[in-house]
mmCIF file of all heavy atoms in Angstrom:
data_model
loop_
_atom_site.group_PDB
_atom_site.id
_atom_site.type_symbol
_atom_site.label_atom_id
_atom_site.label_comp_id
_atom_site.label_asym_id
_atom_site.label_seq_id
_atom_site.Cartn_x
_atom_site.Cartn_y
_atom_site.Cartn_z
ATOM 1 N N GLU A 102 62.256 13.341 -12.535
ATOM 2 C CA GLU A 102 62.217 14.139 -11.302
ATOM 3 C C GLU A 102 61.306 15.344 -11.457
ATOM 4 O O GLU A 102 60.589 15.719 -10.521
ATOM 5 C CB GLU A 102 63.642 14.590 -10.938
ATOM 6 C CG GLU A 102 64.550 13.453 -10.490
ATOM 7 C CD GLU A 102 65.968 13.917 -10.197
ATOM 8 O OE1 GLU A 102 66.231 15.142 -10.367
ATOM 9 O OE2 GLU A 102 66.810 13.092 -9.815
ATOM 10 N N ARG A 103 61.304 15.944 -12.646
ATOM 11 C CA ARG A 103 60.419 17.091 -12.875
ATOM 12 C C ARG A 103 58.955 16.658 -12.799
ATOM 13 O O ARG A 103 58.130 17.347 -12.196
ATOM 14 C CB ARG A 103 60.706 17.705 -14.264
ATOM 15 C CG ARG A 103 59.896 18.980 -14.536
ATOM 16 C CD ARG A 103 60.002 19.387 -15.986
ATOM 17 N NE ARG A 103 59.274 18.473 -16.850
ATOM 18 C CZ ARG A 103 57.947 18.501 -17.031
ATOM 19 N NH1 ARG A 103 57.192 19.390 -16.373
ATOM 20 N NH2 ARG A 103 57.364 17.657 -17.847
ATOM 21 N N LEU A 104 58.642 15.527 -13.404
ATOM 22 C CA LEU A 104 57.264 15.029 -13.364
ATOM 23 C C LEU A 104 56.849 14.726 -11.921
ATOM 24 O O LEU A 104 55.699 14.991 -11.539
ATOM 25 C CB LEU A 104 57.121 13.781 -14.218
ATOM 26 C CG LEU A 104 57.179 13.979 -15.740
ATOM 27 C CD1 LEU A 104 57.168 12.629 -16.454
ATOM 28 C CD2 LEU A 104 56.010 14.835 -16.215
ATOM 29 N N ASP A 105 57.765 14.180 -11.137
ATOM 30 C CA ASP A 105 57.439 13.880 -9.741
ATOM 31 C C ASP A 105 57.166 15.157 -8.957
ATOM 32 O O ASP A 105 56.268 15.186 -8.096
ATOM 33 C CB ASP A 105 58.588 13.115 -9.094
ATOM 34 C CG ASP A 105 58.685 11.665 -9.584
ATOM 35 O OD1 ASP A 105 57.685 11.203 -10.174
ATOM 36 O OD2 ASP A 105 59.741 11.034 -9.375
ATOM 37 N N ARG A 106 57.906 16.223 -9.268
ATOM 38 C CA ARG A 106 57.664 17.498 -8.578
ATOM 39 C C ARG A 106 56.297 18.062 -8.960
ATOM 40 O O ARG A 106 55.560 18.584 -8.119
ATOM 41 C CB ARG A 106 58.774 18.510 -8.900
ATOM 42 C CG ARG A 106 60.101 18.193 -8.253
ATOM 43 C CD ARG A 106 61.035 19.401 -8.334
ATOM 44 N NE ARG A 106 61.341 19.758 -9.719
ATOM 45 C CZ ARG A 106 62.335 19.272 -10.429
ATOM 46 N NH1 ARG A 106 63.143 18.344 -9.899
ATOM 47 N NH2 ARG A 106 62.558 19.661 -11.669
ATOM 48 N N VAL A 107 55.943 17.935 -10.225
ATOM 49 C CA VAL A 107 54.631 18.412 -10.681
ATOM 50 C C VAL A 107 53.531 17.610 -9.983
ATOM 51 O O VAL A 107 52.515 18.174 -9.539
ATOM 52 C CB VAL A 107 54.506 18.288 -12.202
ATOM 53 C CG1 VAL A 107 53.075 18.627 -12.648
ATOM 54 C CG2 VAL A 107 55.492 19.223 -12.893
ATOM 55 N N ASN A 108 53.716 16.296 -9.896
ATOM 56 C CA ASN A 108 52.716 15.458 -9.233
ATOM 57 C C ASN A 108 52.546 15.842 -7.768
ATOM 58 O O ASN A 108 51.422 15.891 -7.260
ATOM 59 C CB ASN A 108 53.114 13.981 -9.341
ATOM 60 C CG ASN A 108 52.757 13.367 -10.676
ATOM 61 O OD1 ASN A 108 51.826 13.834 -11.333
ATOM 62 N ND2 ASN A 108 53.488 12.336 -11.083
ATOM 63 N N THR A 109 53.644 16.086 -7.101
ATOM 64 C CA THR A 109 53.574 16.468 -5.694
ATOM 65 C C THR A 109 52.852 17.790 -5.527
ATOM 66 O O THR A 109 52.018 17.959 -4.627
ATOM 67 C CB THR A 109 54.997 16.587 -5.107
ATOM 68 O OG1 THR A 109 55.649 15.324 -5.211
ATOM 69 C CG2 THR A 109 54.944 17.023 -3.650
ATOM 70 N N SER A 110 53.121 18.724 -6.432
ATOM 71 C CA SER A 110 52.474 20.027 -6.365
ATOM 72 C C SER A 110 50.979 19.933 -6.678
ATOM 73 O O SER A 110 50.160 20.599 -6.038
ATOM 74 C CB SER A 110 53.146 20.989 -7.365
ATOM 75 O OG SER A 110 52.487 22.241 -7.375
ATOM 76 N N ALA A 111 50.643 19.096 -7.647
ATOM 77 C CA ALA A 111 49.231 18.968 -8.058
ATOM 78 C C ALA A 111 48.412 18.161 -7.044
ATOM 79 O O ALA A 111 47.184 18.323 -6.979
ATOM 80 C CB ALA A 111 49.141 18.324 -9.423
ATOM 81 N N ALA A 112 49.070 17.296 -6.273
ATOM 82 C CA ALA A 112 48.353 16.404 -5.366
ATOM 83 C C ALA A 112 47.550 17.183 -4.332
ATOM 84 O O ALA A 112 46.411 16.800 -3.991
ATOM 85 C CB ALA A 112 49.333 15.454 -4.677
ATOM 86 N N GLU A 113 48.115 18.271 -3.818
ATOM 87 C CA GLU A 113 47.421 19.053 -2.807
ATOM 88 C C GLU A 113 46.146 19.655 -3.384
ATOM 89 O O GLU A 113 45.084 19.618 -2.754
ATOM 90 C CB GLU A 113 48.333 20.150 -2.261
ATOM 91 C CG GLU A 113 47.706 20.958 -1.138
ATOM 92 C CD GLU A 113 48.670 21.970 -0.549
ATOM 93 O OE1 GLU A 113 49.878 21.896 -0.839
ATOM 94 O OE2 GLU A 113 48.200 22.857 0.214
ATOM 95 N N ARG A 114 46.246 20.233 -4.575
ATOM 96 C CA ARG A 114 45.077 20.826 -5.208
ATOM 97 C C ARG A 114 44.048 19.755 -5.545
ATOM 98 O O ARG A 114 42.838 19.953 -5.388
ATOM 99 C CB ARG A 114 45.499 21.567 -6.478
ATOM 100 C CG ARG A 114 44.341 22.239 -7.248
ATOM 101 C CD ARG A 114 43.614 23.240 -6.403
ATOM 102 N NE ARG A 114 42.546 23.902 -7.125
ATOM 103 C CZ ARG A 114 41.565 24.586 -6.547
ATOM 104 N NH1 ARG A 114 41.511 24.699 -5.222
ATOM 105 N NH2 ARG A 114 40.621 25.168 -7.277
ATOM 106 N N LEU A 115 44.527 18.599 -6.018
ATOM 107 C CA LEU A 115 43.632 17.509 -6.359
ATOM 108 C C LEU A 115 42.864 17.038 -5.117
ATOM 109 O O LEU A 115 41.650 16.807 -5.170
ATOM 110 C CB LEU A 115 44.435 16.353 -6.947
ATOM 111 C CG LEU A 115 43.660 15.205 -7.588
ATOM 112 C CD1 LEU A 115 42.876 15.671 -8.799
ATOM 113 C CD2 LEU A 115 44.620 14.089 -8.000
ATOM 114 N N GLY A 116 43.550 16.919 -3.995
ATOM 115 C CA GLY A 116 42.905 16.508 -2.756
ATOM 116 C C GLY A 116 41.869 17.513 -2.284
ATOM 117 O O GLY A 116 40.781 17.141 -1.834
ATOM 118 N N ALA A 117 42.230 18.798 -2.381
ATOM 119 C CA ALA A 117 41.302 19.851 -1.949
ATOM 120 C C ALA A 117 40.052 19.864 -2.797
ATOM 121 O O ALA A 117 38.933 19.995 -2.273
ATOM 122 C CB ALA A 117 42.008 21.214 -2.004
ATOM 123 N N LEU A 118 40.210 19.727 -4.114
ATOM 124 C CA LEU A 118 39.047 19.726 -5.000
ATOM 125 C C LEU A 118 38.181 18.478 -4.802
ATOM 126 O O LEU A 118 36.956 18.554 -4.889
ATOM 127 C CB LEU A 118 39.511 19.804 -6.458
ATOM 128 C CG LEU A 118 39.933 21.186 -6.955
ATOM 129 C CD1 LEU A 118 40.557 21.073 -8.336
ATOM 130 C CD2 LEU A 118 38.753 22.139 -6.981
ATOM 131 N N THR A 119 38.817 17.349 -4.558
ATOM 132 C CA THR A 119 38.049 16.132 -4.294
ATOM 133 C C THR A 119 37.170 16.296 -3.066
ATOM 134 O O THR A 119 35.987 15.936 -3.075
ATOM 135 C CB THR A 119 39.000 14.931 -4.103
ATOM 136 O OG1 THR A 119 39.786 14.748 -5.281
ATOM 137 C CG2 THR A 119 38.223 13.658 -3.797
ATOM 138 N N GLY A 120 37.747 16.868 -2.005
ATOM 139 C CA GLY A 120 36.975 17.133 -0.796
ATOM 140 C C GLY A 120 35.868 18.153 -1.014
ATOM 141 O O GLY A 120 34.757 18.002 -0.494
#
Side-chain angles (χ1 to χ4, degrees):
E102 291 177 359
R103 185 191 71 80
L104 288 174
D105 287 344
R106 289 194 298 272
V107 173
N108 279 334
T109 299
S110 177
E113 183 176 348
R114 179 60 179 163
L115 190 63
L118 281 172
T119 300

